[in-house]
Amino acid sequence: MKRWNARVLGVFLTCQAVLQLWPCALAPSPKPSHPADAAARALRLSIEAALQPSTYSARNAEAARSVARDAAVLEGLARPIAWKDGDLDLLNGTWDLIYTSNGDVDRGNFRQLGWPGQPILEKVQQEIDVKAGRLRNVLTLSPWPSSSWPLAGPFQGVLQELEAARIVLRLDHSFEAYGQSRLRIVLERLDRSLEGPSMEGLASLIPRS
């Protein structure tokens, strides 16, 4: 589920690392005629124009500066974050990462490790359950080449079965809100699973978890 509004910018713009992709800049939902509407649209367009293909990072320094400028404009229209005003509940839900100013997310280096035209890192999501005090970063990976890979050879059958499968990493955290707008986040466990249809032959030997 993708969400985009002026409420949460940090999950897109100021991620500290893959282990700490937590939202840290909030603004109230604007009224239809609020200047934040235009600022939010400008920021979204700026991000779309800035992204390198198949990554979450800007293609160059100027593109990154453009996103930062538009983000600053939108953040400047927001009132200060305050958990006591109910802002914490705005974090609740599932969020898709679309942009980060932290190159560590891409510097894995998932682009260089991926097969030509096929990045390893397909999706980054963050699931937040405010009531339970849980935060989970979910990375979906496709680390194998396509079955059409010229050097597939005897592994072509295995790769065909793996084409619909994905490795999913779940970094599970507890979190606690304190102060006016601070979060204390603790990584508690890392789970790995192989998700996709049932497989046969050699592919079936790959552990599911």
Side-chain angles (χ1 to χ4, degrees):
M1 173 176 58
K2 281 193 177 181
R3 301 181 182 184
W4 177 262
N5 52 38
R7 289 176 176 171
V8 178
L9 295 179
V11 72
F12 308 125
L13 303 173
T14 52
C15 305
Q16 298 303 308
V18 172
L19 300 183
Q20 293 178 311
L21 299 176
W22 55 278
C24 54
L26 303 177
S29 187
K31 297 179 180 180
S33 59
H34 197 283
D37 283 341
R41 285 194 296 270
L43 177 57
R44 184 60 184 264
L45 292 173
S46 182
I47 289 174
E48 291 175 351
L51 288 173
Q52 298 183 67
S54 301
T55 78
Y56 299 107
S57 302
R59 64 180 183 274
N60 55 43
E62 179 53 40
R65 285 193 291 269
S66 177
V67 172
R69 285 193 297 267
D70 287 338
V73 170
L74 183 55
E75 290 174 341
L77 296 171
R79 62 171 172 77
I81 308 165
W83 298 150
K84 64 180 178 62
D85 293 336
D87 287 340
L88 185 62
D89 289 337
L90 300 178
L91 300 181
N92 209 56
T94 299
W95 305 87
D96 283 355
L97 178 69
I98 61 172
Y99 176 87
T100 177
S101 57
N102 185 350
D104 286 340
V105 174
D106 287 317
R107 206 162 31 228
N109 186 338
F110 293 112
R111 295 193 309 280
Q112 293 182 4
L113 291 175
W115 305 95
Q118 181 185 337
I120 285 180
L121 182 60
E122 291 193 347
K123 182 168 58 176
V124 178
Q125 291 182 306
Q126 188 173 78
E127 301 168 354
I128 301 176
D129 185 336
V130 170
K131 186 175 181 179
R134 307 300 301 181
L135 181 155
R136 180 185 292 174
N137 293 321
V138 183
L139 285 71
T140 301
L141 311 173
S142 179
W144 30 73
S146 167
S147 60
S148 60
W149 184 45
L151 301 180
F155 299 103
Q156 186 171 26
V158 176
L159 294 175
Q160 284 177 336
E161 291 203 74
L162 288 173
E163 282 184 344
R166 298 293 182 268
I167 297 292
V168 179
L169 302 179
R170 293 180 173 85
L171 293 83
D172 198 7
H173 307 71
S174 62
F175 76 87
E176 176 186 4
Y178 68 98
Q180 177 176 316
S181 57
R182 305 280 292 179
L183 291 178
R184 183 178 294 109
I185 302 173
V186 178
L187 175 64
E188 295 187 345
R189 61 180 294 167
L190 169 63
D191 295 319
R192 181 206 67 85
S193 62
L194 175 65
E195 300 186 358
S198 60
M199 294 178 284
E200 301 177 354
L202 289 175
S204 67
L205 300 179
I206 301 175
R208 285 279 175 173
S209 61

